[in-house]
Amino acid sequence: MLRPSSRGNLGEAAAPHDDHEVVDLLRTTIRREYQEPPLKTQVANFVKTTYSPKALIPSLTWVPEMVKGGWRDSLRGDIAAGMTVGAFLVPQGMSYALVAELPPIYGLYTASVPLIIYALLGTSRQLAIGPVAIVSLLIGHGVGAISHPTLDDGSTNPEYVSLCIAASLLSGLLQILMSFTRLGFITSFLSHPVVSGFTSAAALIIGFGQLRHVLGFKLKSDNNLFVVAIDMFSRLGEAHWPSILMGFLVMCVLYAFKTVPRLKKLPSAMIIVFLSTLLSWALNLGANHGFKIAGDIPSGIPAPSAPSIPSGEKLSQLFTAVLILTLIGYCESIAVGLTYASKNRYEIRSDQELLAFGVANVVGSFFGAYPVAGGFGRSAVNANSGAKTQLAGAISGIFILIVLAALTPLFYHLPKPALGAIVIMAVQGLLDYQEPIHLYKMGAWGDFVSNVITFLATLLVGPELGIGVGVGCSLLTLIALTSSPSYSVLGNVRGSNLYYNIAVMEPAKEVPHTLIIRFDADLWFANCARFKEAVLREAAKRPDLSRVILCFQAVNMIDSSALHALHEVVRDLKNLAKGMGEDHTITVALSGARRAARKRLIAEFSPSSFLKPGENPSRTLCGRSTTQLKRIFDQKAYNGSLTQTQADFLVKKLIEMKGTSEDELETSPSIVFGWAQVISEDRDNNSCVVGFEEFLKLLRHETGEEEPDPNHEIVLYPNVHAAVCYDLLNASEPDGVADGPPLVANVPLEPPAQAGWSPTPVPRPHASDLAEMGEHRGSENWATGVGNV
């Protein structure tokens, strides 16, 4: 049998009496809502779960588990994965250093110590961090705008290197700050279409940038890729054709490694580096044939030294570049981490990831590293090679340290055309041409426009401004979509408590003299004007209108601007009613408001919540209707009165528990135990007794509340059906209803004079009838009485 839904603010209804149980949606009681613990408890729990040693250093959890025996399941896979990724990192690190306009050795520095730090602090078990293409590109463009990468003689500019290392320190500090202030959500503004468009354009920029190593001549430096492309084609006569041949052959070999199944698992880039270096050494390609080679690469692990931080305008420019690369790098990293966490069924904590990356960048900056991030390709290799814990990342870092300590002289003859070809093949995976096609076919025009504009802007004005344009376009698209959301005019399906969009569901007919309108979005300053226009436009179409019901089932948030607009709607509807006739009135009711929105609505318009049919909503005091207060008073009174002490106690508790339901008031421990004390008072010795009217005066005096203005109030109902049927109910409850089960059969409904409409709820169906109901009625919500059509 279909069970009543617990969605919204409705509770359970009647207990079943037979197979065809009927439910009274008007007389359902409200369950006690979740009450947040005291602020002190919340803070203590937050500190305990977020800033405890094991939370800040996850390795304190997985390292002891491995020591106790967990190594049997994971150690072999972690060692294999760590060594494999380390072998990939040697050529990748040196190649991406070239993308960042740095000497190759700095790619190895970046791929060493930060990996070990992340393994201790990170929560992702498969994420392989290190130098990545996008961050390297942003470093090259951002820092290159402050200081040129090379001096006039072609040697590396020390200031440029210093700024790149300082960028790692600033990026790490920014990530640590974001972690402790829980600002990881900022990356949510980088939507997937924007990131896709940016990475696709960045792949082209990186690819063109590395063509200079393949072609053998330096390309023009410009943020506009089309200008760079025109310059490149106009100077093809300057190309070094042996370098082009080597680059082409390297790309063909890498493509074969990528497509032939038996070769896919081999470290193709490492093999290319080994063979090309061996060939260059054997034929002395650098001296005899004009190839550009890596040259002298410093050996040994770098001694830690504090980075040099610039000042003044340079610091401001550097921070702008760091902010962009930090957000982009974290966005890419968390996306990869979440993917593998989902596949392997464990959780990663985004704020802890920020802390891990932050500390890794800060510590790495003392060892000559530039900012790190998680890479798509390396993480795939890490996972496929058997990585089970963060130990794999630490092993990769140790592998690079060994290379730095003993093997760097072997890379002296490494030809740069081979490194450039490795990068070009690596960034092919960043080209996401399928995303705009998918968005176009899906009809997601806002996302499609954001994707295309980000792509073009990045190509035309550079990565930094390109991502800014993309984010701005995405936010403008979001505002445009949310500022003009759809709304539906609802009608009742005869013989049921269901209400559907009359424009979609033919059996749904408008309730006479009543406008029921559902707004399908949150209400905030960007769309409250459209909301007001929609309500007044639909109201003006109905000359016999006497009641407006605003269905807020889809409204989870309402801001102050929307509350002002709601005031204006009430005022304008009353002015509209005056135009319909001198004695004509239009009442306004709200239904189905969610918890967060309902709290604001109650505070702004009417403290009368939790109303039952027949209760007068216009006379409220201390957040309760007169009928509610009378019921509470009668429960406590003896012979229709209370003693002065009892009355003072009850007034105090009513003020303390303003806004709670009667059930919560009745079961509150402070009420139960406190009343047990005051009831023991000797009534014979206390001649001062308080009746209900005196009790109301006392309550009004203590709260300072005046008699409310009925015209100001908007009554809140739990669902549309309760709001529709309010006027059809007698003012007093029938005998036996309050004490017996709340069945629909006992509710005195008087159908309107017009034929063809009845609000009487029907028996609920068996579970076996659900399929047929879905075919003929669409999605139904029995708790709220509103279909999802």
Side-chain angles (χ1 to χ4, degrees):
M1 186 183 300
L2 181 65
R3 281 295 179 193
S5 170
S6 60
R7 291 176 59 188
N9 57 342
L10 294 179
E12 297 178 348
H17 288 264
D18 52 35
D19 289 341
H20 284 78
E21 175 194 352
V22 287
V23 177
D24 178 9
L25 290 177
L26 305 181
R27 296 179 181 277
T28 52
T29 58
I30 295 182
R31 286 180 175 175
R32 177 181 298 183
E33 293 182 347
Y34 169 74
Q35 298 293 327
E36 294 183 349
L39 180 61
K40 182 179 180 181
T41 304
Q42 293 184 53
V43 172
N45 291 338
F46 173 77
V47 172
K48 182 178 179 181
T49 56
T50 308
Y51 299 120
S52 65
K54 287 188 176 181
L56 293 175
I57 309 177
S59 55
L60 294 179
T61 301
W62 62 263
V63 169
E65 289 177 356
M66 291 192 68
V67 172
K68 291 179 181 178
W71 60 271
R72 296 183 180 89
D73 299 324
S74 61
L75 185 60
R76 181 179 298 177
D78 286 339
I79 292 176
M83 297 292 288
T84 303
V85 172
F88 271 87
L89 267 172
V90 173
Q92 265 196 355
M94 292 190 291
S95 301
Y96 288 150
L98 297 181
V99 176
E101 305 289 350
L102 287 167
I105 189 63
Y106 288 95
L108 297 181
Y109 292 161
T110 306
S112 56
V113 175
L115 276 67
I116 300 173
I117 300 300
Y118 177 82
L120 298 175
L121 301 178
T123 57
S124 177
R125 302 169 189 172
Q126 283 78 33
L127 181 64
I129 75 165
V132 296
I134 298 296
V135 174
S136 300
L137 172 68
L138 292 172
I139 279 288
H141 276 257
V143 180
I146 305 172
S147 177
H148 200 273
T150 58
L151 300 175
D152 294 337
D153 59 358
S155 61
T156 302
N157 185 355
E159 183 187 25
Y160 178 83
V161 174
S162 177
L163 288 173
C164 291
I165 297 173
S168 180
L169 177 63
L170 292 178
S171 177
L173 294 175
L174 179 61
Q175 288 171 320
I176 293 173
L177 177 64
M178 291 174 63
S179 171
F180 282 102
T181 54
R182 305 179 70 86
L183 292 178
F185 71 90
I186 291 179
T187 56
S188 301
F189 292 102
L190 296 172
S191 64
H192 179 71
V194 169
V195 174
S196 173
F198 174 78
T199 53
S200 296
L204 293 178
I205 294 174
I206 293 170
F208 269 88
Q210 293 307 298
L211 281 177
R212 62 189 172 96
H213 298 296
V214 177
L215 295 174
F217 63 85
K218 190 173 182 180
L219 299 176
K220 183 177 181 179
S221 179
D222 197 290
N223 285 331
N224 190 325
L225 183 65
F226 298 101
V227 173
V228 177
I230 293 172
D231 175 71
M232 180 189 72
F233 287 115
S234 66
R235 297 170 55 197
L236 284 179
E238 304 175 21
H240 184 249
W241 294 103
S243 295
I244 294 177
L245 179 62
M246 173 178 279
F248 178 75
L249 291 175
V250 168
M251 291 182 198
C252 291
V253 173
L254 288 173
Y255 182 78
F257 273 99
K258 189 176 181 181
T259 54
V260 177
R262 293 184 178 181
L263 302 178
K264 283 185 177 181
K265 292 187 177 181
L266 296 177
S268 55
M270 192 65 188
I271 293 174
I272 291 294
V273 167
F274 173 76
L275 293 177
S276 62
T277 303
L278 183 63
L279 180 66
S280 176
W281 170 77
L283 300 179
N284 198 9
L285 295 180
N288 297 336
H289 299 281
F291 279 78
K292 293 184 178 180
I293 59 175
D296 289 322
I297 298 178
S299 61
I301 300 172
S305 61
S308 176
I309 303 298
S311 59
E313 185 178 354
K314 288 186 177 181
L315 178 60
S316 176
Q317 292 177 311
L318 182 62
F319 182 78
T320 302
V322 164
L323 178 62
I324 296 173
L325 68 88
T326 298
L327 295 179
I328 293 292
Y330 174 71
C331 184
E332 178 181 351
S333 304
I334 200 67
V336 179
L338 288 172
T339 299
Y340 287 101
S342 176
K343 287 183 179 180
N344 294 277
R345 297 183 179 181
Y346 65 89
E347 292 184 358
I348 64 174
R349 292 181 284 121
S350 58
D351 291 312
Q352 179 62 27
E353 288 296 290
L354 275 172
L355 179 64
F357 278 108
V359 177
N361 279 321
V362 169
V363 176
S365 68
F366 285 80
F367 291 89
Y370 66 89
V372 298
F376 289 97
R378 281 199 305 272
S379 298
V381 171
N382 197 33
N384 294 335
S385 300
K388 301 295 183 183
T389 69
Q390 294 89 323
L391 179 63
I395 292 174
S396 298
I398 294 172
F399 181 92
I400 300 299
L401 288 177
I402 294 174
V403 171
L404 284 170
L407 303 180
T408 52
L410 299 178
F411 298 108
Y412 176 87
H413 291 282
L414 175 62
K416 287 189 176 181
L419 287 178
I422 290 173
V423 174
I424 292 173
M425 292 299 294
V427 298
Q428 277 188 336
L430 297 177
L431 281 170
D432 190 5
Y433 62 89
Q434 294 181 342
E435 179 68 11
I437 297 175
H438 170 68
L439 295 174
Y440 177 81
K441 290 181 177 179
M442 195 171 62
W445 302 114
D447 290 338
F448 175 77
V449 170
S450 298
N451 179 274
V452 173
I453 288 181
T454 305
F455 176 78
L456 294 176
T458 304
L459 294 181
L460 292 173
V461 298
E464 295 87 354
L465 289 178
I467 191 64
V469 170
V471 171
C473 181
S474 182
L475 292 178
L476 287 176
T477 303
L478 175 64
I479 293 173
L481 291 174
T482 56
S483 63
S484 56
S486 62
Y487 69 91
S488 306
V489 176
L490 306 181
N492 175 259
V493 177
R494 182 180 180 183
S496 75
N497 52 27
L498 301 176
Y499 294 80
Y500 289 101
N501 186 350
I502 60 175
V504 177
M505 184 68 68
E506 184 178 354
K509 305 297 180 183
E510 286 197 51
V511 179
H513 313 299
T514 303
L515 169 62
I516 309 172
I517 185 168
R518 182 184 66 201
F519 199 62
D520 299 326
D522 292 336
L523 283 175
W524 58 306
F525 65 87
N527 62 15
C528 59
R530 299 294 181 94
F531 160 73
K532 177 183 173 182
E533 292 173 5
V535 175
L536 297 179
R537 181 170 58 249
E538 294 295 336
K541 296 178 182 178
R542 295 158 176 81
D544 58 346
L545 183 66
S546 62
R547 187 166 178 79
V548 174
I549 300 174
L550 304 175
C551 177
F552 277 11
Q553 182 187 5
V555 177
N556 295 293
M557 184 273 291
I558 182 168
D559 69 359
S560 58
S561 298
L563 291 175
H564 284 293
L566 203 50
H567 277 293
E568 294 174 1
V569 166
V570 176
R571 182 197 63 199
D572 292 344
L573 285 175
K574 294 188 182 302
N575 294 334
L576 180 64
K578 293 178 181 178
M580 295 178 179
E582 186 175 346
D583 297 330
H584 194 87
T585 59
I586 297 178
T587 59
V588 182
L590 297 178
S591 67
R594 302 297 185 183
R595 181 173 183 259
R598 188 172 66 248
K599 290 175 69 175
R600 287 196 169 188
L601 290 167
I602 289 173
E604 181 74 16
F605 290 100
S606 170
S608 303
S609 59
F610 314 118
L611 293 178
K612 294 183 179 180
E615 294 181 351
N616 184 356
S618 65
R619 297 185 60 197
T620 59
L621 189 61
C622 198
R624 303 180 190 278
S625 69
T626 305
T627 311
Q628 290 174 322
L629 292 172
K630 183 66 165 64
R631 188 160 49 241
I632 296 170
F633 181 88
D634 289 342
Q635 291 172 354
K636 305 297 183 183
Y638 178 77
N639 288 336
S641 63
L642 299 174
T643 66
Q644 187 66 51
T645 304
Q646 292 171 338
D648 292 340
F649 175 81
L650 189 55
V651 165
K652 176 184 176 183
K653 291 302 177 182
L654 284 171
I655 295 174
E656 286 180 2
M657 304 189 68
K658 180 178 179 180
T660 59
S661 67
E662 290 181 54
D663 293 338
E664 291 174 307
L665 181 67
E666 188 66 27
T667 57
S668 170
S670 63
I671 287 284
V672 173
F673 294 112
W675 190 257
Q677 296 178 4
V678 298
I679 202 173
S680 62
E681 179 182 343
D682 185 3
R683 179 175 291 273
D684 294 336
N685 296 332
N686 192 334
S687 59
C688 181
V689 293
V690 178
F692 180 64
E693 293 300 327
E694 290 81 4
F695 174 75
L696 288 182
K697 292 179 181 179
L698 176 62
L699 186 58
R700 182 168 288 110
H701 177 269
E702 292 297 324
T703 59
E705 296 182 21
E706 300 294 335
E707 193 72 23
D709 179 8
N711 295 325
H712 177 71
E713 298 228 348
I714 298 179
V715 186
L716 278 67
Y717 292 93
N719 55 72
V720 170
H721 196 58
V724 169
C725 296
Y726 172 78
D727 288 334
L728 304 178
L729 294 173
N730 294 337
S732 60
E733 295 182 341
D735 294 338
V737 172
D739 299 328
L743 297 177
V744 169
N746 293 329
V747 179
L749 294 176
E750 298 293 339
Q754 290 89 335
W757 180 83
S758 171
T760 308
V762 295
R764 294 190 312 167
H766 289 285
S768 60
D769 298 329
L770 289 179
E772 182 179 355
M773 287 171 53
E775 293 175 3
H776 296 288
R777 292 185 176 179
S779 176
E780 298 177 350
N781 186 340
W782 286 92
T784 59
V786 178
N788 294 329
V789 178

